[in-house]
Amino acid sequence: MSTYPELHLHIAGEWLDARGRNSEPVLNPVTGQPIGTLPHATKADLDRALAAAAEALPKWAATPAYERARIIRRAADVMRERADAIATMLTMEEGKPQPEAKIEVLAAADVFEWMAEEGKRAYGRIVPSRAAGTRHLVLKQPVGVTAAFAPWNFPAITPARKMSASLAAGCPCIIKPSEETPATALVMARILVEAGLPPGVLQVVFGIPGEVSTHLMGSDIIRKVSFTGSTAVGKQLMKLAAERAQRTTMELGGHAPVLVFDDIDAEKAAAAAVAGKFRNAGQVCVSPTRFLVHERVHETFVKSFTRAAEALKVGDGLQPGVQMGPLANPRRVDAMTALIGDAVAKGAKLHTGGERIGNEGFFFKPTVLSDVPLSARMMTEEPFGPVALINRFSSEEEAIAEANRLPYGLAAYALTRDADRAVRLQERLESGLLGLNTFAISLAETPFGGVKESGHGSEGSIEGLEAYLTTKFVAHAPAPL
Ligand code: NAD
């Protein structure tokens, strides 16, 4: 039987516990019962973290990229070796099935490895100069100390994206993972420290989210902020960042449309879509949400989708064969109940689900709604849960207009065999990510990020490293004789 680890803060090279500090319980979403006690950083702790990061900056920035890469890559290898145990911990605090958690942990290890390597390629360039003997250089330099804020739905991959790019670029990072899923980020931090990361280069803090971000971002030491979470909180943090002109990467909410055309096999499409929809119980910023299905295949699609959703095994993610775990926290259960109730009251058809399972833990039935009116809150608000909305369209033009209707622009998907149409969709869908005949759109080596109110900047890939580098132009002329 696995046990949940002791939880700490990691500041200036020390692991600090809850003694003399405020704390909060971490709940297992299967039971709703506490499994750990998480210390909150005091203001003095946060100041110490800022000072330690400032002290670590010159040395870490000057550490050769090859040496930084060696440390980060070593950590990635250890994460792979311990993937099973880390995944079990992740399931205990977040709820997703353990095999799904293991895929996430292995993907996080890939992110560390890829960024470690990419750090070696923070190339500048030489621009041909206009005068003989003069050099025009473009240098890429670490942006400085960074602050990162990660949510609870991907306790491994989201902190990994932020930590890896910052560290590989030569920037010390202070990260506040989610208070609801703290152990996974802490164990990754421990592994990085074991792999040779010097004190102050990576620090992990927890507390009241708004207080921690206000305190850290109120310091001139922080030069860049990376946040993943809701659009509402992202906007607050952008305002705070504006005070000190701190750079930001914002991965915010989404409401992904899925355009299903009538040139595909609707039954096979529904089976693939169910796997995409109910991954992590739909608590995914790129979760396929608004299915827009051509009217000729709508009925077949809804029937097949409903059958596959009903066949999903929901339960404790540590039990074998479970395909969907509980929701991560009671707020999601309340939100699902309210949003589905509102949609049904406004005329949506409920095909399956629509209610919580039992009264222990945070379980909710996979839910399918069709013919959902635009006036339903869920057609505008991100549901962030196990619910699919399946509406119909009659023309490509109408489908594109509906897909682009919302202020969000994170992910979009389309299922079609028509190559010309696929090109039109690439041009016209307003999203940072587009899956054509696939729901797999997140890899270490590809950029991940949104447009419009889904945020700005990308994580992963070369863009993800660039976000932690500044550009300096140097004009170097011959010395006057
Ligand atoms: P929330 O919006 O309060 O919190 C979202 C995340 O932001 C949490 O991890 C929280 O700790 C953090 N946070 C909140 N206020 C903060 C602040 N001032 N400074 C720094 N971090 C802060 O609410 P929630 O109930 O956790 O989630 C609600 C909604 O958030 C979801 O419905 C979904 O739309 C969105 N969300 C998006 C993602 C994503 O991957 N983009 C992840 C989690 C939640």
Side-chain angles (χ1 to χ4, degrees):
M1 177 70 192
S2 296
T3 50
Y4 194 70
E6 294 284 320
L7 300 169
H8 296 94
L9 307 164
H10 183 55
I11 295 173
E14 290 180 35
W15 298 94
L16 306 168
D17 64 22
R19 276 172 296 174
R21 296 182 170 83
N22 290 339
S23 63
E24 69 178 292
V26 177
L27 307 183
N28 181 344
V30 169
T31 59
Q33 297 304 312
I35 47 172
T37 301
L38 181 70
H40 280 193
T42 62
K43 286 203 162 73
D45 288 330
L46 296 177
D47 286 337
R48 217 174 136 221
L50 285 163
E55 196 186 324
L57 173 65
K59 214 166 157 203
W60 185 244
T63 300
Y66 264 72
E67 178 54 24
R68 293 197 298 251
R70 251 196 298 276
I71 295 171
I72 302 168
R73 241 188 16 231
R74 209 177 291 144
D77 286 340
V78 176
M79 283 173 209
R80 290 192 182 102
E81 283 160 22
R82 301 187 197 162
D84 258 314
I86 303 172
T88 299
M89 211 180 285
L90 194 163
T91 296
M92 289 173 85
E93 61 186 9
E94 201 270 348
K96 68 182 66 174
Q98 201 267 3
E100 195 179 317
K102 188 171 171 185
I103 291 171
E104 184 185 338
V105 172
L106 293 174
D110 280 359
V111 164
F112 277 108
E113 182 184 281
W114 198 90
M115 271 302 164
E117 290 301 318
E118 192 59 14
K120 298 175 184 169
R121 289 183 281 275
Y123 301 139
R125 63 188 190 277
I126 299 175
V127 179
S129 74
R130 296 186 182 202
T134 296
R135 285 266 186 265
H136 283 171
L137 310 171
V138 180
L139 306 184
K140 296 288 175 179
Q141 296 180 313
V143 65
V145 175
T146 73
F149 305 99
W152 41 265
N153 55 337
F154 284 94
I157 196 89
T158 311
R161 283 203 176 116
K162 297 176 192 314
M163 297 191 283
S164 63
S166 184
L167 300 181
C171 305
C173 173
I174 303 176
I175 186 165
K176 190 198 79 56
S178 167
E179 285 68 24
E180 292 173 308
T181 57
T184 308
L186 276 170
V187 77
M188 292 192 300
R190 257 188 204 280
I191 289 171
L192 282 152
V193 170
E194 281 170 28
L197 214 58
V201 172
L202 175 65
Q203 303 180 87
V204 187
V205 299
F206 298 98
I208 308 291
E211 291 178 9
V212 176
S213 54
T214 305
H215 195 87
L216 292 179
M217 292 172 68
S219 162
D220 290 325
I221 291 170
I222 300 296
R223 291 316 317 150
K224 188 211 157 65
V225 175
S226 176
F227 171 72
T228 301
S230 62
T231 296
V233 172
K235 286 178 180 176
Q236 287 171 24
L237 296 186
M238 282 186 256
K239 282 185 195 154
L240 266 184
E243 303 250 328
R244 286 176 172 70
Q246 288 151 336
R247 276 169 77 177
T248 54
T249 297
M250 291 282 154
E251 303 286 355
L252 309 178
H255 203 298
V258 187
L259 280 57
V260 182
F261 290 90
D262 59 351
D263 57 0
I264 48 89
D265 179 322
E267 289 190 19
K268 284 191 184 149
V274 162
K277 173 70 247 180
F278 297 106
R279 180 169 74 100
N280 197 19
Q283 303 164 114
V284 181
C285 51
V286 295
S287 187
T289 291
R290 268 176 305 148
F291 289 87
L292 310 169
V293 183
H294 193 280
E295 57 191 2
R296 284 224 323 255
V297 292
H298 183 264
E299 195 183 331
T300 313
F301 186 87
V302 172
K303 274 195 185 144
S304 306
F305 194 102
T306 303
R307 216 179 309 121
E310 283 173 341
L312 288 173
K313 185 171 173 193
V314 182
D316 177 349
L318 294 182
Q319 297 304 318
V322 165
Q323 292 164 295
M324 190 179 105
L327 304 191
N329 56 57
R331 297 188 304 289
R332 294 320 314 144
V333 176
D334 295 344
M336 284 303 99
T337 309
L339 290 171
I340 294 167
D342 167 77
V344 171
K346 287 175 177 152
K349 285 187 209 157
L350 177 67
H351 294 269
T352 188
E355 55 188 11
R356 66 182 296 188
I357 304 172
N359 52 16
E360 198 196 32
F362 314 134
F363 291 96
F364 204 90
K365 288 185 178 168
T367 299
V368 180
L369 294 169
S370 77
D371 304 280
V372 189
L374 290 188
S375 60
R377 281 172 55 200
M378 219 181 330
M379 287 301 285
T380 305
E381 291 174 35
E382 183 177 27
F384 222 67
V387 55
L389 314 171
I390 313 184
N391 283 356
R392 57 188 92 214
F393 69 85
S394 54
S395 72
E396 182 182 310
E397 203 52 38
E398 185 192 346
I400 292 174
E402 166 56 20
N404 291 341
R405 175 178 57 89
L406 295 181
Y408 291 120
L410 188 54
Y413 306 90
L415 306 176
T416 182
R417 301 167 79 92
D418 182 332
D420 290 346
R421 174 186 286 137
V423 172
R424 289 194 293 277
L425 297 175
Q426 289 170 33
E427 298 291 333
R428 295 187 59 197
L429 287 177
E430 295 168 358
S431 66
L433 303 156
L434 174 59
L436 292 172
N437 300 325
T438 178
F439 292 100
I441 52 169
S442 170
L443 297 161
E445 63 273 29
T446 57
F448 186 93
V451 298
K452 295 162 69 178
E453 293 198 14
S454 290
H456 55 250
S458 299
E459 295 194 299
S461 191
I462 50 179
E463 288 85 355
L465 185 77
E466 178 71 33
Y468 291 83
L469 298 169
T470 54
T471 301
K472 179 183 283 175
F473 169 60
V474 179
H476 186 178
L481 291 176

